[in-house]
């Protein structure tokens, strides 16, 4: 285990978040872009120390809707071009104003390949916020792309539209290969896990108390024996975590996934790969 | 003609039903004294778009429509249909509007027509524009009735519903608005008696929400369908698109003589009401299924699915993207 999220600082914020969730919701509803209490300098220092970060240099691009349709399920796509692919080490997704800003970190393995790397997922956004993708390349350099997203209330929203059904299926997984983003160098696949990914800011419907945070904290995806990526995740990933990713085609294209949640439950699935 | 004792004497309405400030009570009293609310001073609700004008769509069945919009000062939170049914012994209210003030206006409108007691306040589902007027009806002997999943669903969202909509409307228009949960949860088809007429309450599987309840009057065969039917206002999906289509399909086999949509005109025939909703939901479901099959992302699909429906609905830009997002998250597990 290298760096684990949440950090101490963010953990403290989670605790506080449960208490102030109500207040936050009030503040959120009249968000002001001008009122930029800038959290980035502190967060940046906490995550990366004094290391320089190259901004918008094209090494990574982040695609997000400017205005989210559903703050609890905001679709995000991260791209690393083929020219950088071979050098991509890890990629972090940061939602600056969320109570747990580091949404996920993906660390690439050999099966991520040398082509373009594309990762899509869905996140909760609690208030109007910058969303940042930070790529670390093998030379230790940091590259960042940033988008501002208008969304509010995503962390406390009971996204479970059918509460009973969502819980009944906990741990169910789906893994499928896709025909999209295929190049001679890359294949694409998608993994889905039924999991409420409780943020710690949602209300228990029966007791009126906050449901403790409980979320998918790690995932490892392999093609054959080789790692495509490992992910550490937090409460900012939407319920039913859903990740699309590219990987390099090879002789053995069998994909397998092992995920763990904060209760120590392990979820696994595998699928024989398509193509050669 | 109208015999029974009133639970709420008209002169006492504000005092008994709302924990309000003396100042607001005086404003309320002034409005009552003016009798016709249109003539009330600017401080009263008439200036804020919460005038309630129920129309009698069938003998003893009244509906007041709301504006098509989201909570805004111009509409005062009066953005959904609400109604009431007058029996020989009791009145049943179906949905109460989006604030305690709207609920209070509704209660005044009822009091202008009858002094029979309000025995039941029935909520068709959890959405704030349908339930946040409940506080105006609180009092001895009033049963609050809802789908057995309504209490859980509304509790989970209570804080957000209150804070967001208070912010959208302003504290004054939102004053005294509180969450009132059902005292009578409905798990299976249940009949309640208003004297001379019965209401058949049917809880549904997850459709528009996971707590949709419909109400059908035995005397006139009018059915209040809540947000299972939208007319004009684009449907909003907060439950299951598959469930919703199933429920509408089943309902079409034996439709009521007249139906009351959750948003739209006071009364409609089943066919012209249901056809556009089914067409919209079918278009969303089929485009989303196709996109999932083709491996497109949620983001791409939100931008493209069921755009053919754009011209057919009000508030399309406000809700359609969210509907597609919800349908996508549901259907990709098929
Ligand atoms: Zn509704």
């Amino acid at each position: 285990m290298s760096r684990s999220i949440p950090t101490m600082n963010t953990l403290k914020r989670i605790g506080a978040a449960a208490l102030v969730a109500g207040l936050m919701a009030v503040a959120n509803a009249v968000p002001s872009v001008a009122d930029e209490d800038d959290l980035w300098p502190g967060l940046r220092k906490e995550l990366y120390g004094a290391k320089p970060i190259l901004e918008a240099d094209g090494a990574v691009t982040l695609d997000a809707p400017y205005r989210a349709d559903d703050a609890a399920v905001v679709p995000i796509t991260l791209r690393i071009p083929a020219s950088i692919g071979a050098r991509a080490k890890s990629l972090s997704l940061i939602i600056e104003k969320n109570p747990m800003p580091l949404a996920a970190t993906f660390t690439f393995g050999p099966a991520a390949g040398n082509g373009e790397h594309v990762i899509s997922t869905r996140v909760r956004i609690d208030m109007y916020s910058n969303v940042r993708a930070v790529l670390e390349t093998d030379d230790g350099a940091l590259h960042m792309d940033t988008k501002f997203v208008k969304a509010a209330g995503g962390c406390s929203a009971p996204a479970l539209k059918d509460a009973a059904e969502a819980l009944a299926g906990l741990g169910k997984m789906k893994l499928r290969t896709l025909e999209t983003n295929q190049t001679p160098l890359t294949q694409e696949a998608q993994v889905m896990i039924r999991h409420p990914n409780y943020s710690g800011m949602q209300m228990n419907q029966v007791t009126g108390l906050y449901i403790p945070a409980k979320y998918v904290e790690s995932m490892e995806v392999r093609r054959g024996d080789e790692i495509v990526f490992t992910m550490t995740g937090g409460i900012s990933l939407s319920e039913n975590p859903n990740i699309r990713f590219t990987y390099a085609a090879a002789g053995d294209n069998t994909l397998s996934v092992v995920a763990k949640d904060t209760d120590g439950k392990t979820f696994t699935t595998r699928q024989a790969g398509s193509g050669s | 003609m109208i015999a029974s004792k009133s639970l709420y004497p008209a002169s006492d309405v504000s005092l008994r039903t709302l924990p309000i400030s003396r100042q607001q009570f005086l404003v309320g009293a002034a409005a009552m004294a003016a009798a016709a609310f249109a003539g009330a001073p600017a401080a009263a609700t008439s200036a804020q778009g919460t005038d309630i004008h129920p129309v009698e769509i069938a003998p003893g069945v009244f509906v007041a429509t709301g504006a098509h919009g989201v909570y805004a000062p111009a509409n005062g939170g009066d953005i959904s249909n609400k109604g009431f049914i007058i029996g020989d012994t009791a009145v049943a209210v179906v949905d109460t509007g989006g604030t305690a003030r709207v609920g209070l206006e509704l209660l005044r409108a009822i009091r202008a027509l009858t002094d029979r007691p309000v025995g039941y306040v029935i909520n068709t589902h959890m959405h704030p524009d349908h339930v946040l007027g409940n506080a105006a009806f609180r009092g001895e002997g009033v049963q609050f009735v809802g789908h057995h999943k309504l209490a859980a669903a509304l509790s989970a969202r209570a804080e957000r519903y209150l804070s967001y909509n208070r912010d959208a409307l302003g504290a004054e228009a939102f004053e005294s608005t509180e969450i009132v949960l059902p005292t009578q949860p409905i798990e299976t088809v249940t009949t309640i008696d208003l004297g001379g007429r019965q209401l058949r309450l049917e809880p549904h599987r997850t459709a528009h929400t996971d707590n949709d309840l419909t109400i059908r009057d035995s005397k006139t065969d009018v059915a209040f369908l809540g947000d299972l039917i939208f007319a004009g206002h684009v449907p909003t999906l907060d439950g299951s698109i598959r469930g919703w289509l199933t429920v509408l399909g089943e309902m079409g086999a034996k439709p009521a003589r007249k139906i009351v949509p959750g948003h739209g005109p006071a009364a409609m025939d089943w066919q012209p009401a249901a056809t556009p909703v089914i067409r919209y939901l079918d278009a969303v479901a089929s485009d989303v299924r196709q996109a999932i099959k083709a491996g497109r992302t949620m983001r791409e699909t939100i931008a493209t699915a069921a755009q053919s429906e754009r011209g057919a609905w009000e508030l399309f830009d406000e809700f359609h993207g969210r509907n597609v997002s919800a349908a996508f998250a549901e259907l990709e597990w098929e």
Side-chain angles (χ1 to χ4, degrees), chain B residues 125-127 129-130 208-209 212 226-227 230 236 263:
Chain B
H125 64 294
M126 72 191 173
H127 281 149
D129 49 328
H130 298 261
H208 168 61
T209 67
D212 301 315
D227 282 0
F230 283 77
T236 68
H263 300 263

Short mmCIF file of all heavy atoms in Angstrom, two decimals, chain B residues 125-127 129-130 208-209 212 226-227 230 236 263, ligand 1:
data_model
loop_
_atom_site.label_atom_id
_atom_site.label_comp_id
_atom_site.label_asym_id
_atom_site.label_seq_id
_atom_site.Cartn_x
_atom_site.Cartn_y
_atom_site.Cartn_z
N HIS B 125 -46.97 11.25 -3.52
CA HIS B 125 -45.57 10.81 -3.47
C HIS B 125 -44.76 11.86 -2.73
O HIS B 125 -45.27 12.87 -2.29
CB HIS B 125 -45.00 10.57 -4.87
CG HIS B 125 -44.92 11.79 -5.74
ND1 HIS B 125 -46.02 12.47 -6.19
CD2 HIS B 125 -43.85 12.46 -6.24
CE1 HIS B 125 -45.65 13.49 -6.93
NE2 HIS B 125 -44.32 13.52 -6.97
N MET B 126 -43.46 11.65 -2.60
CA MET B 126 -42.61 12.42 -1.69
C MET B 126 -42.19 13.80 -2.16
O MET B 126 -41.61 14.55 -1.39
CB MET B 126 -41.31 11.64 -1.47
CG MET B 126 -40.45 11.68 -2.74
SD MET B 126 -39.07 10.55 -2.68
CE MET B 126 -38.45 10.70 -4.36
N HIS B 127 -42.41 14.15 -3.43
CA HIS B 127 -41.79 15.39 -3.93
C HIS B 127 -42.30 16.63 -3.21
O HIS B 127 -43.47 16.72 -2.88
CB HIS B 127 -41.98 15.49 -5.45
CG HIS B 127 -41.00 14.63 -6.19
ND1 HIS B 127 -41.29 14.05 -7.41
CD2 HIS B 127 -39.73 14.25 -5.88
CE1 HIS B 127 -40.23 13.34 -7.81
NE2 HIS B 127 -39.27 13.46 -6.90
N ASP B 129 -43.02 19.67 -3.89
CA ASP B 129 -44.12 20.48 -4.40
C ASP B 129 -45.48 19.83 -4.15
O ASP B 129 -46.52 20.46 -4.35
CB ASP B 129 -43.93 20.79 -5.90
CG ASP B 129 -43.61 19.56 -6.74
OD1 ASP B 129 -42.95 18.63 -6.21
OD2 ASP B 129 -44.03 19.52 -7.91
N HIS B 130 -45.49 18.58 -3.69
CA HIS B 130 -46.74 17.88 -3.40
C HIS B 130 -47.00 17.70 -1.91
O HIS B 130 -48.13 17.46 -1.51
CB HIS B 130 -46.75 16.50 -4.08
CG HIS B 130 -46.66 16.58 -5.57
ND1 HIS B 130 -47.75 16.48 -6.40
CD2 HIS B 130 -45.59 16.81 -6.38
CE1 HIS B 130 -47.37 16.62 -7.66
NE2 HIS B 130 -46.06 16.82 -7.68
N HIS B 208 -42.56 6.69 -11.01
CA HIS B 208 -42.06 8.07 -10.96
C HIS B 208 -41.11 8.22 -9.77
O HIS B 208 -40.05 8.84 -9.86
CB HIS B 208 -43.24 9.02 -10.86
CG HIS B 208 -42.89 10.45 -10.52
ND1 HIS B 208 -42.09 11.22 -11.34
CD2 HIS B 208 -43.21 11.22 -9.46
CE1 HIS B 208 -41.93 12.42 -10.77
NE2 HIS B 208 -42.60 12.44 -9.63
N THR B 209 -41.51 7.66 -8.62
CA THR B 209 -40.66 7.56 -7.42
C THR B 209 -40.85 6.15 -6.87
O THR B 209 -41.59 5.35 -7.46
CB THR B 209 -41.07 8.58 -6.34
OG1 THR B 209 -42.37 8.22 -5.85
CG2 THR B 209 -41.10 9.99 -6.88
N ASP B 212 -45.18 6.02 -5.17
CA ASP B 212 -46.35 6.56 -5.86
C ASP B 212 -47.64 5.89 -5.38
O ASP B 212 -47.72 4.67 -5.30
CB ASP B 212 -46.23 6.35 -7.38
CG ASP B 212 -44.99 7.01 -7.95
OD1 ASP B 212 -44.73 8.17 -7.59
OD2 ASP B 212 -44.28 6.37 -8.74
N GLY B 226 -51.31 11.66 -9.42
CA GLY B 226 -50.04 12.26 -8.99
C GLY B 226 -49.11 12.43 -10.19
O GLY B 226 -49.56 12.67 -11.32
N ASP B 227 -47.82 12.26 -9.97
CA ASP B 227 -46.86 12.49 -11.05
C ASP B 227 -46.63 11.28 -11.93
O ASP B 227 -45.66 11.23 -12.68
CB ASP B 227 -45.54 13.01 -10.47
CG ASP B 227 -45.63 14.49 -10.11
OD1 ASP B 227 -46.71 15.08 -10.32
OD2 ASP B 227 -44.63 15.05 -9.63
N PHE B 230 -47.78 13.57 -16.23
CA PHE B 230 -47.45 14.98 -16.43
C PHE B 230 -48.12 15.40 -17.73
O PHE B 230 -48.14 14.62 -18.68
CB PHE B 230 -45.95 15.16 -16.62
CG PHE B 230 -45.12 15.10 -15.35
CD1 PHE B 230 -44.84 13.89 -14.75
CD2 PHE B 230 -44.59 16.26 -14.81
CE1 PHE B 230 -44.05 13.84 -13.61
CE2 PHE B 230 -43.80 16.22 -13.67
CZ PHE B 230 -43.52 15.01 -13.07
N THR B 236 -40.65 13.92 -14.92
CA THR B 236 -39.36 13.86 -14.22
C THR B 236 -39.23 12.47 -13.59
O THR B 236 -40.16 11.97 -12.97
CB THR B 236 -39.24 14.93 -13.11
OG1 THR B 236 -40.17 14.63 -12.06
CG2 THR B 236 -39.54 16.31 -13.66
N HIS B 263 -49.16 17.41 -12.72
CA HIS B 263 -48.85 18.71 -13.32
C HIS B 263 -49.61 18.77 -14.63
O HIS B 263 -49.56 17.83 -15.42
CB HIS B 263 -47.33 18.84 -13.59
CG HIS B 263 -46.49 18.73 -12.35
ND1 HIS B 263 -46.05 19.83 -11.66
CD2 HIS B 263 -46.06 17.64 -11.66
CE1 HIS B 263 -45.34 19.41 -10.60
NE2 HIS B 263 -45.34 18.09 -10.58
ZN1 LIG C 1 -43.08 14.35 -8.50
#
